[in-house]
Amino acid sequence: MPDIIQLLPDSVANQIAAGEVIQRPASVVKELVENAIDAGATNIKINIKDAGRTLIQIIDNGCGMSDTDARMSFERHATSKIKSANDIFAIRTMGFRGEALASIAAIAEVELRSKEHDRDLGTYIHISGSSIISQEPVNCDSGTNIQVKNLFFNVPARRKFLKSNPAEFKHIINEIQRIALANSEISISLQHNGSVIYELNGSNKRVRIVSLFGKSINQNLIPLDTQTSLAKITGFIGQPKHAKKTFGEQFFFVNQRFMKHPYFHRAIMLTFEKMLPPDAVPSYFIYFDIDPADIDVNIHPTKTEIKFENELAIWQILQASVREALGKFNIVPSIDFDQAGSVEIPMPLNNYADVHAPKIKVNQAYNPFEQSSPSNSNSGINNNYKPAPASRSNLTNWHSLYQGLEPNYAEQTDTPDEPIQFRMEEQQTVKSSVQFKNKYILTPVKSGLMIIDQKRAHERILYERLMQVMETHEVASQQQLFPETFEVNASDATLLLSILPDLGALGFDVREFGKNTFIINGTPGVLNTSSPVEIIESLLEEYKNSPATLQGKARETVAISLAQASAIPYGHALKPIEISELIDNLFACQTPNFSPKGKKILSIMPLEDFEKLLK
Ligand code: ADP
Ligand code: MG
C-alpha cells in the first residue's frame, strides 16, 4: 500500500488554526487591537463596517514594522514577542503565539500598511486567503494600518453561523470594552458604519469606566486597593443596591489582560451574598497584578482563561479586599475580615410559595333565620340563635356543601400526541396544579401528569397577545406616572432606534432623549410591567440573540423578544390563582404546545411510567 500521510499545506493549516483563534469578527478586532497595544501604540482607531463582515480597520501609532517583518508577520508561529518556551512565563505582552495574523490572512482579504518611525517609506502588503497578492513600498504614517475585508469569504459555514449584525457588533463592543478598561491610558476611538461610537481619551481607570458605562455609574463605584506579596488588587466594585439583574459590568483583569474566572466571580458573589436583591449581580472592575511566573495564560488560544498557581490564596485575598472596601464605605457594618463580626441582613423568604395567608371560608348559602339551613352555627356571632336539631335529611345532604371542592380526575381528558386541547370546564385540574422548583407547573391529567414550563408558557401567552395587538392595531398604551429615562451603550442605542416604530406599534411609548439616552412614557397595556427599563434592556438582549433568519421579520422578532423579556422568570414563586390563570390563558392560545421560538412548553408523564418507577 502506498504511504498516505502528507503534511497539510500552510494555507489549510492556517485555516484550521483560524477556527480556534478567529470565531467571529470580534475575535479579529481583539487580536488586531492587542497587536497595536503590544506595539506600544498610545492611540488606536477602530473602523468597522457591517459589524465586521465587510471591513475591520485598525490604525495605530505603534512601532510599525520593517518590510521583512511585515511579510514575516503573516507566517504561522511568527512572533517578535517570545524566543523560547521559557519566555511564556515572564510574558507581559498580549500576544505571543504568532498565530493571529496568519489565521486572519487565511480566511479574509488583508491589506496592511506599516512604517517604522525612523523610516521615510513604509510597506504595503495585500494578502487574500493566505496568498500574497502584492508587496510594495508606500507613503504612509508611522505605525500600522491594517484592513481586514470580507471575513470568512472562503469559509461559508462560518459566515452562515454568524449572528445578526447587532449581535456581532455587541461582541465587538464587548471586546473593545475589555481592552479599553485594561488600558485606560491609551486613546481609543470606534466608528461603526461611519458613526462615532466611542471617542475615549487616555485617562485613569475611573474616568474610563464612566466614559464606557455612563455618568451614573460614578457614584456607584467603591475603590479597592490591597497589596500583598502574592498579588496586588485594585479597581472598583459597585454598591450592592445598584446591582443589576443582567450581566455586563463584571470584569477581571490580570496583568492588563481581561480574564474570565467563574471561581473568583463566586468569591465576589459570596462576599456580597446577603446584601443583594435576588438574582442581582454587582458590578466589578477588578485588576490583579501578579508575577507572570505565577500564572499560565497559555491554556486557551484566546487567552481569556488563566490558571493561577495560588488560586486559593488569591481567592482569600480577593474576598478580604472586597469586604474591606464594602466595610470602609459602611456597606458592611464591620471591617472585620471574618464573618462573625458582621450583621446578618435579613433576606426576604425565597420560597414564599409555601407560606399562605390564613383563609376564611364562608358558606354563602347559610341563612340563620332559615330553620332548614343545612349548616350548623359555630360562628358565635349570633348567640341568641338556637339551631334546629339536625334532621336526617340534613345529615345525608352534608356533602353537597363541598360540591365542586373535591378533585374529580375521572372527567379529565387529554390526547398527549396531538396538540393538547384543554377544555375550560376542567377546573379541577387547575385546582390541583402545583408549582415545582419555581420553574414547572405540574397538573394531573387523565393519562398521567402534565409538566408545563412556566416561562415558556407565559412567553406563548404574551406573544399571542402582542401579535394580536399588531394585527388589530388596537394599541393600548399605559402611560407612566413618572416617565423614566435610561442610558444604553452606543450599539444598543442604534438597535433601539431601529426598532422604535415596532415598539410603538405594540404600545411602547419610548423616545430618544439625547445621545444614547431614551425616555419611556408608556408601556403596552397587555404587559403588566413594573420595571419597563429592565424589560427594554432584556428585550435588546433577546433581540440580538435572535437568529439572523428571524431578523427579516422585524415585528415578529420584537414581539418574540418582548414576550421573552417580560415573561415570568424561572425562580419566581406563583400563587395558586396565578397558576390557574396561567394554565387557562395558555390553553386559550392558538398554539399552546410550543413557545414562540419553537421550544416545547409541555409534556405528559404517562401513568404507566409512574407504575414502572415504583415497581
Ligand atoms: P503575536 O501577536 O502572537 O506575536 P500575531 O500574528 O498577532 O502574533 O503578530 C505577529 C507579529 O507581527 C507580532 O509578533 C509583531 O511583531 C507583528 N505585528 C503585528 N501587528 C503589529 C502592529 N500593529 N504593529 C507592529 N507590529 C505588529
Ligand atoms: Mg497578536
Side-chain angles (χ1 to χ4, degrees):
M1 232 172 84
D3 295 335
I4 50 173
I5 298 181
Q6 304 176 15
L7 272 181
L8 286 175
D10 270 357
S11 58
V12 179
N14 286 341
Q15 259 200 29
I16 295 170
E20 253 191 293
V21 194
I22 309 297
Q23 278 125 13
R24 47 173 22 111
S27 336
V28 177
V29 175
K30 169 182 187 278
E31 292 296 335
L32 296 182
V33 176
E34 286 186 351
N35 278 351
I37 290 171
D38 286 344
T42 56
N43 193 323
I44 302 174
K45 294 191 174 76
I46 308 160
N47 183 12
I48 309 285
K49 290 222 169 85
D50 303 323
R53 283 171 215 263
T54 322
L55 174 74
I56 294 168
Q57 180 178 32
I58 315 283
I59 306 171
D60 71 53
N61 64 350
C63 62
M65 284 179 268
S66 69
D67 301 1
T68 333
D69 279 353
R71 178 79 183 249
M72 267 300 280
S73 69
F74 290 101
E75 293 295 325
R76 200 137 72 97
H77 308 307
T79 179
S80 56
K81 298 168 195 175
I82 56 171
K83 291 198 167 60
S84 75
N86 272 344
D87 294 350
I88 296 181
F89 302 103
I91 201 82
R92 286 270 175 195
T93 53
M94 303 306 293
F96 57 82
R97 297 168 70 112
E99 280 177 329
L101 288 187
S103 301
I104 295 168
I107 48 162
E109 197 182 321
V110 179
E111 287 182 66
L112 173 117
R113 291 173 176 81
S114 192
K115 183 174 90 67
E116 292 172 300
H117 287 251
D118 54 358
R119 297 288 172 97
D120 293 331
L121 272 186
T123 185
Y124 166 86
I125 297 188
H126 184 186
I127 292 194
S128 180
S130 288
S131 24
I132 300 217
I133 294 173
S134 66
Q135 176 167 19
E136 56 203 49
V138 67
N139 212 335
C140 63
D141 289 335
S142 301
T144 302
N145 176 342
I146 183 163
Q147 288 178 295
V148 176
K149 295 176 182 167
N150 299 330
L151 187 63
F152 299 127
F153 77 96
N154 52 357
V155 202
R158 274 277 154 150
R159 217 178 155 91
K160 215 163 70 200
F161 280 105
L162 291 181
K163 292 218 176 105
S164 64
N165 278 2
E168 292 301 338
F169 190 60
K170 176 77 183 148
H171 282 287
I172 295 181
I173 291 268
N174 287 348
E175 290 296 351
I176 294 177
Q177 279 180 351
R178 294 166 179 181
I179 295 175
L181 286 168
N183 301 279
S184 62
E185 67 294 345
I186 298 179
S187 300
I188 299 178
S189 72
L190 169 66
Q191 287 203 10
H192 187 215
N193 293 334
S195 49
V196 177
I197 308 290
Y198 291 135
E199 199 62 84
L200 309 167
N201 293 322
S203 59
N204 62 27
K205 291 190 178 98
R206 187 187 271 269
V207 172
R208 180 59 50 105
I209 294 170
V210 170
S211 38
L212 286 170
F213 296 99
K215 283 184 226 71
S216 58
I217 201 169
N218 194 18
Q219 70 271 22
N220 173 20
L221 298 175
I222 305 172
L224 287 185
D225 194 359
T226 302
Q227 312 238 12
T228 69
S229 55
L230 262 185
K232 183 174 146 197
I233 298 179
T234 54
F236 301 91
I237 48 172
Q239 291 186 26
K241 64 177 182 202
H242 290 292
K244 294 185 180 160
K245 292 224 160 103
T246 47
F247 280 84
E249 293 173 3
Q250 290 72 32
F251 296 89
F252 286 124
F253 302 94
V254 59
N255 299 348
Q256 292 193 289
R257 184 192 300 279
F258 169 81
M259 68 163 177
K260 290 185 185 148
H261 211 295
Y263 183 61
F264 289 167
H265 172 75
R266 214 173 136 56
I268 297 200
M269 292 305 285
L270 284 175
T271 320
F272 271 81
E273 198 179 21
K274 303 226 167 98
M275 301 166 224
L276 292 173
D279 302 332
V281 257
S283 314
Y284 54 80
F285 306 86
I286 296 180
Y287 300 78
F288 296 88
D289 255 302
I290 285 189
D291 180 348
D294 291 344
I295 52 174
D296 183 358
V297 292
N298 199 26
I299 49 179
H300 191 267
T302 59
K303 310 181 202 87
T304 48
E305 280 155 54
I306 292 173
K307 220 175 129 28
F308 288 73
E309 176 121 8
N310 303 300
E311 205 155 62
L312 186 62
I314 295 186
W315 154 291
Q316 283 161 347
I317 300 171
L318 174 63
Q319 275 208 324
S321 177
V322 172
R323 271 193 76 74
E324 186 191 11
L326 289 170
K328 271 194 199 149
F329 275 72
N330 285 333
I331 296 193
V332 182
S334 147
I335 59 166
D336 280 359
F337 286 359
D338 62 48
Q339 206 71 30
S342 69
V343 170
E344 295 278 312
I345 300 169
M347 285 287 286
L349 277 169
N350 254 346
N351 228 350
Y352 47 87
D354 301 338
V355 183
H356 301 288
K359 284 198 184 113
I360 300 168
K361 282 193 182 145
V362 178
N363 173 13
Q364 304 213 330
Y366 170 62
N367 178 350
F369 304 105
E370 212 172 81
Q371 294 260 317
S372 62
S373 163
S375 65
N376 206 332
S377 172
N378 292 328
S379 67
I381 294 171
N382 187 344
N383 289 329
N384 298 330
Y385 172 67
K386 296 272 179 304
S391 73
R392 195 84 207 129
S393 75
N394 283 346
L395 283 178
T396 47
N397 286 334
W398 65 272
H399 55 263
S400 63
L401 279 179
Y402 294 90
Q403 244 166 29
L405 290 177
E406 75 278 18
N408 181 359
Y409 303 121
E411 281 170 23
Q412 291 147 21
T413 52
D414 61 70
T415 44
D417 292 323
E418 296 160 30
I420 290 161
Q421 299 296 323
F422 187 85
R423 300 210 321 263
M424 296 302 284
E425 324 67 278
E426 291 176 5
Q427 289 298 322
Q428 308 310 341
T429 311
V430 172
K431 279 208 185 82
S432 45
S433 304
V434 288
Q435 196 187 16
F436 178 60
K437 298 262 179 204
N438 288 348
K439 185 172 180 191
Y440 304 106
I441 290 162
L442 306 181
T443 192
V445 288
K446 194 177 167 196
S447 63
L449 185 65
M450 190 195 286
I451 305 154
I452 302 176
D453 183 306
Q454 70 181 46
K455 181 165 188 288
R456 292 179 189 171
H458 198 213
E459 283 171 13
R460 163 56 59 188
I461 297 165
L462 293 176
Y463 170 70
E464 292 202 3
R465 285 187 189 161
L466 290 167
M467 286 310 282
Q468 201 185 357
V469 169
M470 290 213 192
E471 278 154 23
T472 56
H473 303 285
E474 284 169 11
V475 189
S477 185
Q478 203 171 306
Q479 288 305 301
Q480 293 289 107
L481 206 50
F482 303 104
E484 266 184 277
T485 58
F486 62 101
E487 208 180 327
V488 293
N489 71 35
S491 74
D492 285 359
T494 328
L495 170 61
L496 186 51
L497 275 176
S498 73
I499 59 172
L500 276 190
D502 296 319
L503 288 176
L506 286 168
F508 259 114
D509 182 354
V510 181
R511 286 171 214 177
E512 202 178 4
F513 195 69
K515 191 169 190 282
N516 300 345
T517 307
F518 293 81
I519 185 161
I520 304 188
N521 292 313
T523 54
V526 293
L527 297 181
N528 184 10
T529 166
S530 53
S531 44
V533 173
E534 255 175 55
I535 299 270
I536 297 264
E537 281 169 356
S538 33
L539 160 79
L540 292 172
E541 280 313 303
E542 298 289 355
Y543 191 93
K544 282 180 285 188
N545 290 324
S546 300
T549 45
L550 260 183
Q551 306 269 327
K553 305 175 189 162
R555 296 212 147 182
E556 211 176 315
T557 316
V558 171
I560 294 179
S561 308
L562 188 54
Q564 285 184 307
S566 28
I568 313 165
Y570 296 128
H572 180 89
L574 293 171
K575 297 194 194 100
I577 175 83
E578 292 171 327
I579 296 179
S580 56
E581 269 176 22
L582 189 77
I583 299 181
D584 285 353
N585 292 333
L586 175 65
F587 289 100
C589 284
Q590 283 176 357
T591 322
N593 289 34
F594 294 97
S595 79
K597 278 209 176 151
K599 293 200 180 123
K600 241 178 151 174
I601 293 178
L602 45 89
S603 183
I604 290 178
M605 179 148 169
L607 213 53
E608 305 88 77
D609 284 10
F610 285 85
E611 280 154 14
K612 261 186 242 155
L613 274 176
L614 296 174
K615 249 192 196 134

